[in-house]
Amino acid sequence: MSLRTITTGIAAVATLTAAAGVGYVVGTGSDGDDRPPTGPPIALANADLVATASCEELLDSYVDRALGQVGPYGWGGDLPVFAMESGDAGSSDAMSSGVERSAAATSRSTSGASGTNVQEVGVDESDVVKVSGSLLLRMRDGQLLAYDVSGDEPSLLSTTRLDDARGNDWVGDPGGELVLVGGRAVVIGSSGDGLSTTITTVDLADPTAPSVVDATTVRGRASAVRLHGDVVRVVLNNGLPELDFSHPDGTFGEIRSRLRNRSLVRDTTLADWLPTVAGQPLVACEDVAVPEDEDLPLGTTTVLAVDPAAPTTRTSTAVATDSDTAYFSTDRFYLAAAAPGWGPWTDCFDCRWAGSTATGTTPLFAFALDGMDATYVASGEVEGTIADRWSMDAVGGSLRVAVGPSSETGNFNSVLTLREEGADLVEAGRVDDLGVGEEITSVRWFDDLAIVVTFRQTDPLYAVDLTDPDSPALLGELKIPGFSEYLHPLGEQRLIGVGQDASLQGVTRGAQAALFDVTDLTSPRQVDVVRYPANSLAGAGTDPRQFTWLPEQRVALTVVSQGWTGTTGWVSVLSLDDGSMTNRMVEVEHGTDVADVRLVPLASGKVALVTGDDVSFFTV
């Protein structure tokens, strides 16, 4: 149950310097093949990640690990994988009643200046809609649409076709997401098969006539996009290569098929394992760190940094494992090395189901962010599972993690605090026995507080005091039917949870929004609840960007949908007054377009409603 740290290896903290230079293509090997150029090996903080001495050694490390995963049917060893098609293998916040309140508080703000509801203050995230002053941008069907929102009604200024940002056909993605910085939009689009990513930089000096200044397609799937200052970071995932595997046709056929498939793996090149541009590896060999733990999912996770002002200047750092569970703070990037999730896809980055761990423990790798560089600084390991990026948070040099049970834990959830000691992430404190026999459904972090919701039949909401990271403490808990999938602070005394209503037996009945009083964290209370129609879903449960908090009006806006063969989407207008909520439902959209409904606060005080085919002002 304790954090295991790996203390062997190099004692001093050294740096992992990202490759700098112009362009994605870093060159070829001395004999003209597709290998990145070799150079002095990176110095790593400890032995959790090791640097290879050459491109040949790096390739050997991939092949050696891969041979144990290939059999007569291809990837998956000796068992046939009937459901796996080409490309799937790699995706894988006083006083109250005389009770002194804890110093912990829910006052941390979560608003994003670009109009997106973000996880971390100061770190913007990609979305289908962005705003800057009177300019609103949206992606729709592979087009970048610019609107002037300064008048009585939004006015379309321009439409720019981006043929390489049409989105992922697998999930009905209407065509890319973007970030907005320095008068330029950086658009990230997925290929139809979900295996390639195109990064397009568009100059908006004249929003009536935008111009594309760069468009580069990378073989690799984007799983997260973040904006730190003027630097855009894209996390790219490359799983197991697509190879033309044989399949057996009899007893002896299995032997022949296995031998041929192993030969195909031996013949792979670095271009099969690393993200590439025009067939050439994107990241240099010396900037790929290899985990010592061979049980980690095989593949490559790359952090690519892009300067929109000079889009051909890019840096990259990679770890030779495939994982979707990545969290960015303002100055750190944490990678939780868990296998990519196999749950249903959604139409946005960061919105997939959580990964899993085969060994019961989850390795963590920490990188310091400075300008364009990402430097490996520390690592460690936690027993248990990390559900998603919302399960991690960093404040004041402390990493806080909510973990679920695994084969190496008891049947309960925990909150851990960790700190960097030299090159190691070491456990500073922990709280166990949260939701025994239950699953974490949502977590919200504040400077000195964690709110954790678990569920099986009822919804226990736990308040954990993190004022002293070395001695976290459970302050109080609340058990009610249903559960919250997304939590949002409404100042220092209120918290709203959006999720599912459920019977006392744990059967879900439809979406709900619950208002909590957290004035006394030793005794949190549900003070009001709004229940939506049967079999409805709250969009913020999987995509928090479908939740908007308007603090001046004391109004929360959230998208609710109902139906499968025919879907109706509403905006739920939740007005708060003296500890109660009133709800007004406004029908706004139908079908798959419901997933892209956004409610964007504008500098003018108005709210823009973005639906499938329209941008309008929404009456709150």
Side-chain angles (χ1 to χ4, degrees):
M1 296 225 341
S2 62
L3 170 73
R4 298 187 201 164
T5 56
I6 302 173
T7 56
T8 59
I10 302 171
V13 178
T15 60
L16 167 63
T17 305
V22 177
Y24 275 95
V25 181
V26 293
T28 61
S30 59
D31 57 357
D33 63 18
D34 62 2
R35 295 170 300 167
T38 59
I42 53 178
L44 296 177
N46 60 23
D48 287 2
L49 295 179
V50 297
T52 56
S54 65
C55 288
E56 290 82 0
E57 187 176 327
L58 176 61
L59 178 57
D60 287 345
S61 72
Y62 279 112
V63 172
D64 289 346
R65 292 170 64 192
L67 287 173
Q69 300 187 31
V70 68
Y73 297 90
W75 301 121
D78 291 335
L79 297 177
V81 185
F82 299 107
M84 190 177 293
E85 300 178 0
S86 176
D88 290 352
S91 301
S92 14
D93 156 203
M95 302 287 289
S96 177
S97 303
V99 178
E100 183 175 355
R101 186 182 172 192
S102 164
T106 61
S107 58
R108 192 166 164 189
S109 172
T110 57
S111 299
S114 71
T116 299
N117 182 26
V118 299
Q119 178 183 9
E120 188 71 38
V121 178
V123 183
D124 199 16
E125 306 176 10
S126 63
D127 201 352
V128 295
V129 181
K130 289 291 174 182
V131 294
S132 178
S134 62
L135 178 66
L136 183 148
L137 299 174
R138 71 167 301 187
M139 285 298 302
R140 171 71 176 170
D141 293 335
Q143 298 180 107
L144 179 66
L145 292 86
Y147 293 83
D148 180 357
V149 290
S150 64
D152 292 336
E153 296 293 339
S155 174
L156 180 64
L157 298 173
S158 62
T159 300
T160 305
R161 183 70 189 179
L162 303 178
D163 290 332
D164 296 320
R166 296 182 179 180
N168 189 332
D169 295 338
W170 288 359
V171 296
D173 184 349
E177 295 185 3
L178 71 150
V179 290
L180 181 59
V181 55
R184 290 188 169 187
V186 178
V187 181
I188 294 86
S190 300
S191 61
D193 62 5
L195 297 178
S196 295
T197 300
T198 296
I199 303 172
T200 305
T201 304
V202 183
D203 192 289
L204 297 161
D206 180 1
T208 66
S211 60
V212 176
V213 297
D214 182 77
T216 304
T217 298
V218 185
R219 189 67 171 173
R221 177 180 54 81
S223 61
V225 182
R226 298 290 183 270
L227 178 63
H228 292 84
D230 295 334
V231 177
V232 179
R233 287 187 167 86
V234 183
V235 179
L236 297 165
N237 296 93
N238 294 81
L240 301 172
E242 298 176 90
L243 302 175
D244 187 19
F245 286 127
S246 295
H247 298 278
D249 56 2
T251 302
F252 292 103
E254 285 200 6
I255 298 174
R256 290 192 296 267
S257 183
R258 180 185 289 106
L259 290 173
R260 182 182 184 277
N261 291 344
R262 289 173 65 87
S263 178
L264 289 175
V265 171
R266 291 191 180 97
D267 289 342
T268 57
T269 68
L270 285 174
D272 294 309
W273 296 99
L274 301 178
T276 60
V277 174
Q280 300 296 322
L282 164 64
V283 57
C285 296
E286 62 267 25
D287 291 320
V288 183
V290 179
E292 280 283 84
D293 186 353
E294 295 186 356
D295 290 327
L296 295 186
L298 183 57
T300 308
T301 302
T302 303
V303 182
L304 173 67
V306 180
D307 179 4
T312 57
T313 300
R314 308 170 174 98
T315 68
S316 55
T317 300
V319 180
T321 188
D322 186 18
S323 177
D324 284 334
T325 313
Y327 160 70
F328 285 90
S329 71
T330 55
D331 63 355
R332 287 287 189 274
F333 165 68
Y334 295 93
L335 181 66
W342 291 97
W345 289 71
T346 66
D347 59 354
C348 66
F349 304 125
D350 292 321
C351 294
R352 296 179 63 204
W353 278 16
S356 61
T357 174
T359 62
T361 61
T362 303
L364 290 166
F365 304 117
F367 294 79
L369 305 178
D370 184 14
M372 296 279 286
D373 294 331
T375 304
Y376 173 57
V377 291
S379 61
E381 192 173 61
V382 293
E383 294 178 332
T385 58
I386 298 176
D388 53 26
R389 65 183 175 105
W390 293 86
S391 297
M392 294 184 282
D393 182 73
V395 163
S398 176
L399 173 65
R400 299 94 68 86
V401 184
V403 300
S406 75
S407 60
E408 296 299 312
T409 72
N411 190 21
F412 52 77
N413 305 282
S414 305
V415 169
L416 311 179
T417 60
L418 305 96
R419 60 171 175 265
E420 295 177 17
E421 287 189 358
D424 297 309
L425 284 171
V426 301
E427 182 181 316
R430 67 185 299 128
V431 173
D432 292 319
D433 298 324
L434 305 179
V436 176
E438 299 181 341
E439 177 185 356
I440 294 176
T441 62
S442 58
V443 185
R444 195 74 194 204
W445 305 93
F446 307 95
D447 289 343
D448 46 21
L449 176 71
I451 302 292
V452 180
V453 174
T454 66
F455 178 73
R456 183 178 59 184
Q457 290 182 313
T458 57
D459 172 5
L461 181 149
Y462 300 93
V464 179
D465 189 351
L466 299 171
T467 306
D468 180 359
D470 293 342
S471 185
L474 176 62
L475 294 172
E477 63 181 274
L478 170 66
K479 292 189 177 183
I480 52 177
F483 59 92
S484 299
E485 297 173 290
Y486 174 71
L487 296 167
H488 196 92
L490 309 178
E492 295 191 357
Q493 297 180 347
R494 298 289 188 266
L495 186 75
I496 193 169
V498 180
Q500 282 283 308
D501 178 31
S503 69
L504 293 176
Q505 291 72 40
V507 178
T508 57
R509 298 185 287 207
Q512 73 171 20
L515 180 63
F516 300 99
D517 185 333
V518 290
T519 305
D520 178 11
L521 287 166
T522 65
S523 183
R525 298 184 300 121
Q526 178 179 286
V527 294
D528 204 357
V529 61
V530 170
R531 295 180 175 88
Y532 300 107
N535 303 317
S536 57
L537 296 172
T542 55
D543 189 351
R545 299 174 304 182
Q546 289 202 307
F547 181 95
T548 301
W549 169 236
L550 306 174
E552 297 298 323
Q553 294 96 321
R554 301 291 294 172
V555 169
L557 307 173
T558 190
V559 180
V560 177
S561 64
Q562 183 187 40
W564 293 99
T565 56
T567 302
T568 298
W570 298 269
V571 173
S572 170
V573 183
L574 297 166
S575 301
L576 280 67
D577 182 25
D578 194 26
S580 65
M581 291 188 298
T582 58
N583 178 44
R584 174 169 59 94
M585 301 288 280
V586 181
E587 188 173 321
V588 296
E589 189 54 276
H590 303 92
T592 58
D593 287 333
V594 173
D596 289 304
V597 172
R598 297 291 187 270
L599 295 123
V600 185
L602 304 175
S604 63
K606 297 179 181 178
V607 175
L609 169 65
V610 179
T611 57
D613 295 320
D614 196 17
V615 176
S616 60
F617 292 137
F618 185 79
T619 301
V620 176

